[in-house]
Amino acid sequence: MKGFKVKQLKNILSPQDLNNLSDAELQNLAGELRDRILETVSKNGGHLASNLGVVETTLAIHRVFNNPEDQIVFDVGHQCYAHKLLTGRQQEFDTLRQWNGISGFTNRKESQKDAFGAGHSGTSISAALGLAMANQLDGKNNYVIAIVGDGSFTNGMIYEALNNCNKKNLRLIIILNDNEMSISENVGGLSNYLSKIRNSQNYFNLKHQTQSFLHKIPLVGDGLVEGTRKLKKHIKKRVVAENFFEHLGLDYLGPVDGCDLKKLESVLSEAKSKTNCCLVHIHTVKGKGYLHAEEHPEMYHSSGPFDLQKGIPKKASENSFSAIFGKIMVETANTNDSICAITAAMTGGTGLDQFSQTHPERFYDVGIAEEHAVTFAAGLSANGKTPVCAIYSTFVQRVYDQLIHDAAIQKLPLIMALDRCGLVPGDGITHQGIYDCSYLSTIPGIEIFSPETDAEMKQSFKQCFENKKLAVIRYPKGAEQPYDRSGFIDDGDLSYQDFIEVDNDPDQPEMVIITYGRITRNVYEAIQLLAANNRIRLIKLVKVYPLNIPKIISLMGQPKLVYVLEEGIRSGGIGEKLAAAFAQTEDFKPGKVRIRAIENPLMEHGDLSALYECCGFLPQQIADEIVGILGNK
């Protein structure tokens, strides 16, 4: 991006400072906002394309409305960067997504100008409706504005909320940000419908041209404008049929160019005059102002740090767990025509790009509709298919009911491929994949696998395809971590390694450490830090539920300490399940059982090292805790 001669952003300390800016100054400010967003995201990572697309929209909202008295709710919350820069957070913006820095999403703790926190899709209209109804009950005349991407309109919760928005005298304005993208390209009938609306602007353009002409007529112009409003319905019926939103009882304005400040301000001002809930349909360009993001918006939806000049390399990592999963799916589907893949608007993120191209007739991107995805997969299973549903761990929280009601109760085989499990750097509190083992293990008949290596991942999928049960295979973002695994002895659903002096009895370890998944490397490195005379056996679980307690106990002897470490929440986790099982086994009496897990599940954002340190998961922290438990000096 080119620099601007006049710097406006440093003078914007609150949204009210926007009101006296000229058109030229506002355009300069839009450029500065894009520059600052680009500079920060290229260093810290974050959501880029969506934020570049809503710069002018954000400026228009803050000029027409009075925030925080008028409350702004962002769906998902990831497109709020310009909002943060305009609402007193310029100095902290360089800390975006960093430990103890500002969040990449709206956050009520961070500012009163963030009316409602978010991180998952589809919540905005429900929340905004609640805020607006509370205002109405309190006799307040403030507005509530919900900004919703068209991708979120594939989420069922949006329609549940819209169905309740037909209240009179409700000061609620919904801005439908139509950029033809969610994360992957939008799909389905709603996407096609919005495309038709975008191409049917005759009515909207005619209305504004007529009003502009009549206002210019001396003396009688304003009266003529009022008179023409009485003809509005008749004219509209002649030009374009009543649309879906109007059938729900909402007023509808648009489509309008969301990057045209003057036009958008005019339309938002008109929306304020409505007595009903009003939906303003805008059209924006994802990635606007940064050519790489405009050409490949899906790559810049959420990125790590990158070179601003070169952009993100087009070739994704071939070694990530997501990529390995994609290869497994393609290879298996090549010889098994019952394999089907389902995802929820995350084709690229889950590694299913190649599958979607190789087996398009068996690939289903259902949009941001996780609940539908799982029940749809259960339907495929009921008619003999082998569905694999790939969703990020944080979003699987939404499908607990479907997994019980539609899969488990009916004993339908279904494989859930859970990406981004464990601690997730950057995105923070709403995206941590730390709950799944705890709540999914309560589902009757489910099997949960947590492979640490590519080989374990391939074996886990092979076993699940063969067993035909309700199963979960969970894995973190990133790739297999390198360290010396040559000492591990494979024993089916688990493996183990001894760190014992040659002349000591390997069947009587002084200490047994049990863990699973990515955190195993930290445990391994912690063992290297412990005194050489500690007799230690490390057990790494691959199948973490149901637990094979007899096998695990057979490998433990009678140790002084059993130390369980897991990268998940403690409450209801695998550690607590192991501790409960040990306590109920009469002939197994270890000296102590200790669990190191995530005690405070509301983990904020930061890099992985900072998150590990907060949880006590760094190798030195693990070693120090074990030494303290054993009473070593």
Side-chain angles (χ1 to χ4, degrees), residues 190-212:
L190 194 279
S191 176
N192 295 333
Y193 178 71
L194 292 179
S195 179
K196 289 179 181 179
I197 293 180
R198 285 195 299 273
N199 294 317
S200 301
Q201 299 190 54
N202 296 357
Y203 162 67
F204 189 76
N205 290 338
L206 174 61
K207 174 185 172 184
H208 277 269
Q209 289 168 10
T210 302
Q211 287 183 354
S212 178

PDB file of all heavy atoms in Angstrom, residues 190-212:
ATOM      1  N   LEU A 190     -28.799 -20.146  -0.485  1.00  0.00           N
ATOM      2  CA  LEU A 190     -28.806 -18.771   0.007  1.00  0.00           C
ATOM      3  C   LEU A 190     -27.783 -17.933  -0.732  1.00  0.00           C
ATOM      4  O   LEU A 190     -28.030 -16.774  -1.061  1.00  0.00           O
ATOM      5  CB  LEU A 190     -28.515 -18.787   1.505  1.00  0.00           C
ATOM      6  CG  LEU A 190     -28.795 -17.507   2.336  1.00  0.00           C
ATOM      7  CD1 LEU A 190     -27.665 -16.504   2.200  1.00  0.00           C
ATOM      8  CD2 LEU A 190     -30.125 -16.872   1.911  1.00  0.00           C
ATOM      9  N   SER A 191     -26.610 -18.510  -1.027  1.00  0.00           N
ATOM     10  CA  SER A 191     -25.586 -17.793  -1.788  1.00  0.00           C
ATOM     11  C   SER A 191     -26.109 -17.421  -3.164  1.00  0.00           C
ATOM     12  O   SER A 191     -25.908 -16.304  -3.652  1.00  0.00           O
ATOM     13  CB  SER A 191     -24.326 -18.662  -1.916  1.00  0.00           C
ATOM     14  OG  SER A 191     -23.357 -18.024  -2.715  1.00  0.00           O
ATOM     15  N   ASN A 192     -26.819 -18.352  -3.806  1.00  0.00           N
ATOM     16  CA  ASN A 192     -27.394 -18.071  -5.120  1.00  0.00           C
ATOM     17  C   ASN A 192     -28.463 -16.988  -5.032  1.00  0.00           C
ATOM     18  O   ASN A 192     -28.579 -16.134  -5.914  1.00  0.00           O
ATOM     19  CB  ASN A 192     -28.000 -19.351  -5.714  1.00  0.00           C
ATOM     20  CG  ASN A 192     -26.938 -20.398  -5.984  1.00  0.00           C
ATOM     21  OD1 ASN A 192     -25.786 -20.075  -6.202  1.00  0.00           O
ATOM     22  ND2 ASN A 192     -27.344 -21.665  -5.964  1.00  0.00           N
ATOM     23  N   TYR A 193     -29.246 -17.004  -3.951  1.00  0.00           N
ATOM     24  CA  TYR A 193     -30.313 -16.019  -3.782  1.00  0.00           C
ATOM     25  C   TYR A 193     -29.731 -14.609  -3.625  1.00  0.00           C
ATOM     26  O   TYR A 193     -30.207 -13.652  -4.239  1.00  0.00           O
ATOM     27  CB  TYR A 193     -31.151 -16.385  -2.557  1.00  0.00           C
ATOM     28  CG  TYR A 193     -32.263 -15.398  -2.271  1.00  0.00           C
ATOM     29  CD1 TYR A 193     -33.382 -15.313  -3.097  1.00  0.00           C
ATOM     30  CD2 TYR A 193     -32.182 -14.542  -1.179  1.00  0.00           C
ATOM     31  CE1 TYR A 193     -34.392 -14.403  -2.842  1.00  0.00           C
ATOM     32  CE2 TYR A 193     -33.195 -13.630  -0.920  1.00  0.00           C
ATOM     33  CZ  TYR A 193     -34.292 -13.561  -1.756  1.00  0.00           C
ATOM     34  OH  TYR A 193     -35.290 -12.663  -1.510  1.00  0.00           O
ATOM     35  N   LEU A 194     -28.697 -14.490  -2.800  1.00  0.00           N
ATOM     36  CA  LEU A 194     -28.067 -13.182  -2.618  1.00  0.00           C
ATOM     37  C   LEU A 194     -27.460 -12.681  -3.917  1.00  0.00           C
ATOM     38  O   LEU A 194     -27.450 -11.481  -4.196  1.00  0.00           O
ATOM     39  CB  LEU A 194     -27.008 -13.248  -1.518  1.00  0.00           C
ATOM     40  CG  LEU A 194     -27.522 -13.476  -0.094  1.00  0.00           C
ATOM     41  CD1 LEU A 194     -26.356 -13.550   0.880  1.00  0.00           C
ATOM     42  CD2 LEU A 194     -28.492 -12.386   0.317  1.00  0.00           C
ATOM     43  N   SER A 195     -26.962 -13.600  -4.723  1.00  0.00           N
ATOM     44  CA  SER A 195     -26.418 -13.211  -6.025  1.00  0.00           C
ATOM     45  C   SER A 195     -27.508 -12.600  -6.898  1.00  0.00           C
ATOM     46  O   SER A 195     -27.285 -11.613  -7.602  1.00  0.00           O
ATOM     47  CB  SER A 195     -25.799 -14.428  -6.720  1.00  0.00           C
ATOM     48  OG  SER A 195     -25.290 -14.066  -7.984  1.00  0.00           O
ATOM     49  N   LYS A 196     -28.711 -13.163  -6.841  1.00  0.00           N
ATOM     50  CA  LYS A 196     -29.824 -12.612  -7.619  1.00  0.00           C
ATOM     51  C   LYS A 196     -30.190 -11.211  -7.135  1.00  0.00           C
ATOM     52  O   LYS A 196     -30.475 -10.318  -7.916  1.00  0.00           O
ATOM     53  CB  LYS A 196     -31.043 -13.544  -7.524  1.00  0.00           C
ATOM     54  CG  LYS A 196     -30.880 -14.849  -8.284  1.00  0.00           C
ATOM     55  CD  LYS A 196     -32.123 -15.712  -8.125  1.00  0.00           C
ATOM     56  CE  LYS A 196     -31.958 -17.024  -8.871  1.00  0.00           C
ATOM     57  NZ  LYS A 196     -33.143 -17.899  -8.710  1.00  0.00           N
ATOM     58  N   ILE A 197     -30.183 -11.022  -5.803  1.00  0.00           N
ATOM     59  CA  ILE A 197     -30.498  -9.701  -5.265  1.00  0.00           C
ATOM     60  C   ILE A 197     -29.446  -8.690  -5.722  1.00  0.00           C
ATOM     61  O   ILE A 197     -29.762  -7.567  -6.104  1.00  0.00           O
ATOM     62  CB  ILE A 197     -30.569  -9.739  -3.727  1.00  0.00           C
ATOM     63  CG1 ILE A 197     -31.759 -10.574  -3.264  1.00  0.00           C
ATOM     64  CG2 ILE A 197     -30.688  -8.323  -3.160  1.00  0.00           C
ATOM     65  CD1 ILE A 197     -31.895 -10.660  -1.752  1.00  0.00           C
ATOM     66  N   ARG A 198     -28.168  -9.081  -5.688  1.00  0.00           N
ATOM     67  CA  ARG A 198     -27.101  -8.163  -6.106  1.00  0.00           C
ATOM     68  C   ARG A 198     -27.306  -7.690  -7.527  1.00  0.00           C
ATOM     69  O   ARG A 198     -26.926  -6.575  -7.893  1.00  0.00           O
ATOM     70  CB  ARG A 198     -25.734  -8.851  -5.984  1.00  0.00           C
ATOM     71  CG  ARG A 198     -25.210  -8.986  -4.586  1.00  0.00           C
ATOM     72  CD  ARG A 198     -23.743  -9.316  -4.607  1.00  0.00           C
ATOM     73  NE  ARG A 198     -23.457 -10.568  -5.275  1.00  0.00           N
ATOM     74  CZ  ARG A 198     -23.463 -11.748  -4.689  1.00  0.00           C
ATOM     75  NH1 ARG A 198     -23.774 -11.845  -3.415  1.00  0.00           N
ATOM     76  NH2 ARG A 198     -23.181 -12.836  -5.356  1.00  0.00           N
ATOM     77  N   ASN A 199     -27.896  -8.557  -8.344  1.00  0.00           N
ATOM     78  CA  ASN A 199     -28.070  -8.221  -9.753  1.00  0.00           C
ATOM     79  C   ASN A 199     -29.454  -7.629 -10.041  1.00  0.00           C
ATOM     80  O   ASN A 199     -29.867  -7.539 -11.197  1.00  0.00           O
ATOM     81  CB  ASN A 199     -27.848  -9.482 -10.614  1.00  0.00           C
ATOM     82  CG  ASN A 199     -26.419  -9.952 -10.543  1.00  0.00           C
ATOM     83  OD1 ASN A 199     -25.497  -9.155 -10.610  1.00  0.00           O
ATOM     84  ND2 ASN A 199     -26.228 -11.261 -10.401  1.00  0.00           N
ATOM     85  N   SER A 200     -30.177  -7.235  -8.975  1.00  0.00           N
ATOM     86  CA  SER A 200     -31.512  -6.663  -9.155  1.00  0.00           C
ATOM     87  C   SER A 200     -31.618  -5.334  -8.415  1.00  0.00           C
ATOM     88  O   SER A 200     -32.417  -5.180  -7.499  1.00  0.00           O
ATOM     89  CB  SER A 200     -32.578  -7.637  -8.628  1.00  0.00           C
ATOM     90  OG  SER A 200     -32.499  -8.857  -9.291  1.00  0.00           O
ATOM     91  N   GLN A 201     -30.798  -4.360  -8.789  1.00  0.00           N
ATOM     92  CA  GLN A 201     -30.744  -3.096  -8.073  1.00  0.00           C
ATOM     93  C   GLN A 201     -31.673  -2.032  -8.680  1.00  0.00           C
ATOM     94  O   GLN A 201     -31.661  -0.885  -8.245  1.00  0.00           O
ATOM     95  CB  GLN A 201     -29.311  -2.562  -8.069  1.00  0.00           C
ATOM     96  CG  GLN A 201     -28.324  -3.506  -7.381  1.00  0.00           C
ATOM     97  CD  GLN A 201     -26.978  -2.840  -7.191  1.00  0.00           C
ATOM     98  OE1 GLN A 201     -26.894  -1.758  -6.621  1.00  0.00           O
ATOM     99  NE2 GLN A 201     -25.940  -3.464  -7.673  1.00  0.00           N
ATOM    100  N   ASN A 202     -32.482  -2.399  -9.660  1.00  0.00           N
ATOM    101  CA  ASN A 202     -33.306  -1.398 -10.348  1.00  0.00           C
ATOM    102  C   ASN A 202     -34.165  -0.585  -9.394  1.00  0.00           C
ATOM    103  O   ASN A 202     -34.210   0.643  -9.467  1.00  0.00           O
ATOM    104  CB  ASN A 202     -34.224  -2.093 -11.364  1.00  0.00           C
ATOM    105  CG  ASN A 202     -33.411  -2.760 -12.459  1.00  0.00           C
ATOM    106  OD1 ASN A 202     -32.197  -2.651 -12.468  1.00  0.00           O
ATOM    107  ND2 ASN A 202     -34.090  -3.432 -13.359  1.00  0.00           N
ATOM    108  N   TYR A 203     -34.830  -1.294  -8.493  1.00  0.00           N
ATOM    109  CA  TYR A 203     -35.737  -0.605  -7.574  1.00  0.00           C
ATOM    110  C   TYR A 203     -34.987   0.385  -6.688  1.00  0.00           C
ATOM    111  O   TYR A 203     -35.362   1.541  -6.557  1.00  0.00           O
ATOM    112  CB  TYR A 203     -36.493  -1.634  -6.710  1.00  0.00           C
ATOM    113  CG  TYR A 203     -37.098  -1.010  -5.484  1.00  0.00           C
ATOM    114  CD1 TYR A 203     -38.138  -0.090  -5.594  1.00  0.00           C
ATOM    115  CD2 TYR A 203     -36.608  -1.329  -4.224  1.00  0.00           C
ATOM    116  CE1 TYR A 203     -38.677   0.495  -4.456  1.00  0.00           C
ATOM    117  CE2 TYR A 203     -37.136  -0.742  -3.094  1.00  0.00           C
ATOM    118  CZ  TYR A 203     -38.172   0.166  -3.216  1.00  0.00           C
ATOM    119  OH  TYR A 203     -38.690   0.738  -2.114  1.00  0.00           O
ATOM    120  N   PHE A 204     -33.919  -0.084  -6.090  1.00  0.00           N
ATOM    121  CA  PHE A 204     -33.175   0.769  -5.164  1.00  0.00           C
ATOM    122  C   PHE A 204     -32.612   1.999  -5.872  1.00  0.00           C
ATOM    123  O   PHE A 204     -32.718   3.120  -5.377  1.00  0.00           O
ATOM    124  CB  PHE A 204     -32.041  -0.044  -4.526  1.00  0.00           C
ATOM    125  CG  PHE A 204     -31.357   0.680  -3.407  1.00  0.00           C
ATOM    126  CD1 PHE A 204     -31.964   0.792  -2.162  1.00  0.00           C
ATOM    127  CD2 PHE A 204     -30.104   1.240  -3.592  1.00  0.00           C
ATOM    128  CE1 PHE A 204     -31.330   1.465  -1.128  1.00  0.00           C
ATOM    129  CE2 PHE A 204     -29.477   1.908  -2.563  1.00  0.00           C
ATOM    130  CZ  PHE A 204     -30.085   2.016  -1.324  1.00  0.00           C
ATOM    131  N   ASN A 205     -32.037   1.810  -7.054  1.00  0.00           N
ATOM    132  CA  ASN A 205     -31.465   2.930  -7.788  1.00  0.00           C
ATOM    133  C   ASN A 205     -32.556   3.910  -8.228  1.00  0.00           C
ATOM    134  O   ASN A 205     -32.397   5.128  -8.138  1.00  0.00           O
ATOM    135  CB  ASN A 205     -30.694   2.427  -9.006  1.00  0.00           C
ATOM    136  CG  ASN A 205     -29.423   1.695  -8.603  1.00  0.00           C
ATOM    137  OD1 ASN A 205     -28.914   1.906  -7.506  1.00  0.00           O
ATOM    138  ND2 ASN A 205     -28.924   0.843  -9.473  1.00  0.00           N
ATOM    139  N   LEU A 206     -33.674   3.377  -8.718  1.00  0.00           N
ATOM    140  CA  LEU A 206     -34.772   4.236  -9.158  1.00  0.00           C
ATOM    141  C   LEU A 206     -35.295   5.080  -8.005  1.00  0.00           C
ATOM    142  O   LEU A 206     -35.530   6.289  -8.147  1.00  0.00           O
ATOM    143  CB  LEU A 206     -35.902   3.366  -9.721  1.00  0.00           C
ATOM    144  CG  LEU A 206     -37.203   4.109 -10.097  1.00  0.00           C
ATOM    145  CD1 LEU A 206     -36.940   5.137 -11.188  1.00  0.00           C
ATOM    146  CD2 LEU A 206     -38.263   3.108 -10.524  1.00  0.00           C
ATOM    147  N   LYS A 207     -35.431   4.474  -6.845  1.00  0.00           N
ATOM    148  CA  LYS A 207     -35.958   5.182  -5.688  1.00  0.00           C
ATOM    149  C   LYS A 207     -35.085   6.375  -5.315  1.00  0.00           C
ATOM    150  O   LYS A 207     -35.570   7.489  -5.109  1.00  0.00           O
ATOM    151  CB  LYS A 207     -36.065   4.204  -4.509  1.00  0.00           C
ATOM    152  CG  LYS A 207     -36.473   4.857  -3.198  1.00  0.00           C
ATOM    153  CD  LYS A 207     -36.425   3.804  -2.102  1.00  0.00           C
ATOM    154  CE  LYS A 207     -36.621   4.448  -0.754  1.00  0.00           C
ATOM    155  NZ  LYS A 207     -36.495   3.462   0.332  1.00  0.00           N
ATOM    156  N   HIS A 208     -33.794   6.171  -5.250  1.00  0.00           N
ATOM    157  CA  HIS A 208     -32.906   7.251  -4.829  1.00  0.00           C
ATOM    158  C   HIS A 208     -32.744   8.320  -5.910  1.00  0.00           C
ATOM    159  O   HIS A 208     -32.616   9.500  -5.595  1.00  0.00           O
ATOM    160  CB  HIS A 208     -31.552   6.670  -4.403  1.00  0.00           C
ATOM    161  CG  HIS A 208     -31.578   6.172  -2.994  1.00  0.00           C
ATOM    162  ND1 HIS A 208     -31.251   6.949  -1.917  1.00  0.00           N
ATOM    163  CD2 HIS A 208     -31.946   4.960  -2.492  1.00  0.00           C
ATOM    164  CE1 HIS A 208     -31.390   6.254  -0.806  1.00  0.00           C
ATOM    165  NE2 HIS A 208     -31.806   5.045  -1.123  1.00  0.00           N
ATOM    166  N   GLN A 209     -32.761   7.907  -7.150  1.00  0.00           N
ATOM    167  CA  GLN A 209     -32.692   8.908  -8.223  1.00  0.00           C
ATOM    168  C   GLN A 209     -33.935   9.795  -8.210  1.00  0.00           C
ATOM    169  O   GLN A 209     -33.855  11.010  -8.370  1.00  0.00           O
ATOM    170  CB  GLN A 209     -32.554   8.197  -9.572  1.00  0.00           C
ATOM    171  CG  GLN A 209     -31.194   7.552  -9.789  1.00  0.00           C
ATOM    172  CD  GLN A 209     -31.177   6.623 -10.984  1.00  0.00           C
ATOM    173  OE1 GLN A 209     -32.127   6.597 -11.771  1.00  0.00           O
ATOM    174  NE2 GLN A 209     -30.108   5.861 -11.131  1.00  0.00           N
ATOM    175  N   THR A 210     -35.100   9.183  -7.974  1.00  0.00           N
ATOM    176  CA  THR A 210     -36.347   9.945  -7.934  1.00  0.00           C
ATOM    177  C   THR A 210     -36.354  10.922  -6.764  1.00  0.00           C
ATOM    178  O   THR A 210     -36.697  12.098  -6.904  1.00  0.00           O
ATOM    179  CB  THR A 210     -37.547   8.980  -7.831  1.00  0.00           C
ATOM    180  OG1 THR A 210     -37.523   8.083  -8.934  1.00  0.00           O
ATOM    181  CG2 THR A 210     -38.862   9.752  -7.818  1.00  0.00           C
ATOM    182  N   GLN A 211     -35.945  10.444  -5.583  1.00  0.00           N
ATOM    183  CA  GLN A 211     -35.926  11.319  -4.411  1.00  0.00           C
ATOM    184  C   GLN A 211     -34.961  12.479  -4.598  1.00  0.00           C
ATOM    185  O   GLN A 211     -35.252  13.620  -4.224  1.00  0.00           O
ATOM    186  CB  GLN A 211     -35.567  10.512  -3.160  1.00  0.00           C
ATOM    187  CG  GLN A 211     -36.682   9.595  -2.682  1.00  0.00           C
ATOM    188  CD  GLN A 211     -36.320   8.870  -1.395  1.00  0.00           C
ATOM    189  OE1 GLN A 211     -35.188   8.979  -0.927  1.00  0.00           O
ATOM    190  NE2 GLN A 211     -37.276   8.148  -0.845  1.00  0.00           N
ATOM    191  N   SER A 212     -33.804  12.209  -5.161  1.00  0.00           N
ATOM    192  CA  SER A 212     -32.811  13.258  -5.382  1.00  0.00           C
ATOM    193  C   SER A 212     -33.355  14.330  -6.314  1.00  0.00           C
ATOM    194  O   SER A 212     -33.181  15.537  -6.096  1.00  0.00           O
ATOM    195  CB  SER A 212     -31.535  12.646  -5.965  1.00  0.00           C
ATOM    196  OG  SER A 212     -30.579  13.649  -6.237  1.00  0.00           O
TER     197      SER A 212
END
